[in-house]
Amino acid sequence: MRLGINLGYWGLGMDADNIEVAREADRLGYSVCWAAEAYGSDAATVLSFVAAKTERIDVGSAIFQIPARTPAMTAMTAATLDTLSGGRFRLGLGVSGPQVSEGWYGVKFDKPLARTREYVEIIRKAMSRERLVHEGAHWTLPLPGGPGKPIKLTVHPVREHIPLYVAAIGPKNLEQTGEIADGWLGIFFAPEHAALSLDPLKAGRAKAGKSLDGFDLCPTVTIAVGEDIKAGVDSQRSYAALYIGGMGSKEKNFYNQLARRMGYEREADEIQEKYLAKDYAGAAAAVPHDLIDATSLVGDTARIADRMQAYADAGVTTLTLAPSGFTLDERIQALRTGVEALERAGLA
């Protein structure tokens, strides 16, 4: 099992620290450094900067938002980043959510599965450097009846095939991800509930005539290092409450629905109700200890090593860490503990 690091969003007052975290992850042999975007910093610019400051570690988008860019633009960006990084780019995609898609980008959040499938098809065509022709429900290239003509990508990526990941939570999206992608970007993944994600992914791979062999299962997990388990769990309550309670609308929150599928229906209701009422402290307090502990790495090196073994046994191939600390020292320590735990578990 390999390790990754997720820098999250840029522009939160830790930008200089983020570069040091990326450099330390590079030095320690981490496989990939991911960056996110929502409606603040964009991931492409961040990743180009990180790639320039590192030497070996891959850089990946977790995620590029599908409503933010046309598929051809995403193919251009992926090819450019792969070239600038010397063949170290991984393309992670996701549909975002209805509030961001419609409120920030002005793109209707409809038919997300069909839109994702078509988006990936166009990207793959463009990246193959064939002349781009596509007729679909969401995009037609070239536009008919006008001056447009089939054009091919002029940039030559370093690699023939840039790994493509899709962030997916719901069963149907997971199944499609297994069918059309090279890897899966997950969140709130618990080894004890692995079947919720892996069964649909396996079904999708089977549709494509493939197995999970060679498919990168890449969940992001928060990590809090220390002897005090309760304190480590408590340090991640606000993060969990934000996603389960506040990411999306009351009617459409994918993370809330995931918590329900994991058996936390009543708690998911309470977290969302309090978060949407702006009782953020109450929402954080309502997140079950066991939910956080099951979906995170909390404790000393030995305990984290045990949990890493559980993730590896569940089939995870790249475990991406999101340190819960805010200081550079805390985040660097989390990176080093991750390597120590991986080695202790015999997974390095």
Side-chain angles (χ1 to χ4, degrees), residues 133-161:
V133 177
H134 180 86
E135 292 186 14
H138 301 281
W139 292 276
T140 299
L141 301 168
L143 285 175
K149 62 181 182 179
I151 301 171
K152 68 178 181 179
L153 185 70
T154 60
V155 176
H156 291 256
V158 173
R159 293 166 297 170
E160 290 293 324
H161 183 85

Side-chain angles (χ1 to χ4, degrees), residues 53-332:
K53 298 290 185 178
T54 55
E55 297 178 2
R56 294 171 298 277
I57 194 169
D58 281 5
V59 293
S61 54
I63 45 96
F64 281 168
Q65 298 169 104
I66 286 174
R69 303 169 181 84
T70 66
M73 181 68 234
T74 295
M76 289 170 59
T77 303
T80 304
L81 280 167
D82 197 58
T83 302
L84 291 174
S85 65
R88 293 188 283 140
F89 179 63
R90 303 187 194 184
L91 174 59
L93 302 170
V95 293
S96 188
Q99 288 182 322
V100 174
S101 183
E102 298 190 11
W104 188 246
Y105 295 116
V107 175
K108 189 72 175 174
F109 191 81
D110 61 347
K111 297 182 173 59
L113 292 178
R115 186 181 294 272
T116 299
R117 180 182 291 273
E118 199 170 325
Y119 199 89
V120 169
E121 288 175 0
I122 296 171
I123 287 173
R124 293 214 190 274
K125 286 179 184 177
M127 297 291 286
S128 71
R129 302 193 66 252
E130 64 180 80
R131 293 196 179 275
L132 190 53
V133 177
H134 180 86
E135 292 186 14
H138 301 281
W139 292 276
T140 299
L141 301 168
L143 285 175
K149 62 181 182 179
I151 301 171
K152 68 178 181 179
L153 185 70
T154 60
V155 176
H156 291 256
V158 173
R159 293 166 297 170
E160 290 293 324
H161 183 85
I162 293 175
L164 188 150
Y165 296 69
V166 173
I169 297 175
K172 291 181 179 179
N173 196 0
L174 285 161
E175 183 173 329
Q176 178 171 275
T177 296
E179 183 182 357
I180 67 174
D182 303 308
W184 167 62
L185 298 173
I187 190 171
F188 295 116
F189 177 83
E192 295 78 11
H193 297 279
L196 291 174
S197 302
L198 298 194
D199 285 354
L201 285 167
K202 289 176 183 176
R205 298 298 286 169
K207 277 187 176 181
K210 301 176 181 178
S211 70
L212 285 178
D213 291 344
F215 186 81
D216 195 8
L217 296 170
C218 184
T220 291
V221 298
T222 53
I223 176 172
V225 180
E227 300 289 337
D228 189 334
I229 305 302
K230 182 179 183 301
V233 167
D234 288 347
S235 72
Q236 299 172 64
R237 288 187 174 279
S238 294
Y239 169 84
L242 167 64
Y243 279 83
I244 298 171
M247 282 289 190
S249 64
K250 183 174 178 60
E251 294 75 25
K252 193 165 288 188
N253 180 322
F254 308 119
Y255 311 97
N256 189 279
Q257 292 165 9
L258 175 60
R260 292 172 184 277
R261 289 196 295 274
M262 294 171 67
Y264 296 100
E265 295 91 346
R266 179 182 58 80
E267 294 88 345
D269 275 340
E270 182 181 358
I271 295 164
Q272 187 178 63
E273 180 181 343
K274 290 183 174 179
Y275 200 95
L276 295 180
K278 298 187 178 181
D279 179 9
Y280 305 128
V287 180
H289 175 103
D290 291 347
L291 172 58
I292 295 174
D293 197 22
T295 57
S296 308
L297 300 175
V298 181
D300 59 14
T301 303
R303 191 173 193 268
I304 289 173
D306 288 343
R307 290 302 293 167
M308 283 188 171
Q309 183 66 63
Y311 276 97
D313 291 343
V316 171
T317 47
T318 301
L319 189 64
T320 297
L321 309 185
S324 62
F326 289 101
T327 70
L328 178 59
D329 287 345
E330 288 174 320
R331 299 170 76 199
I332 293 295

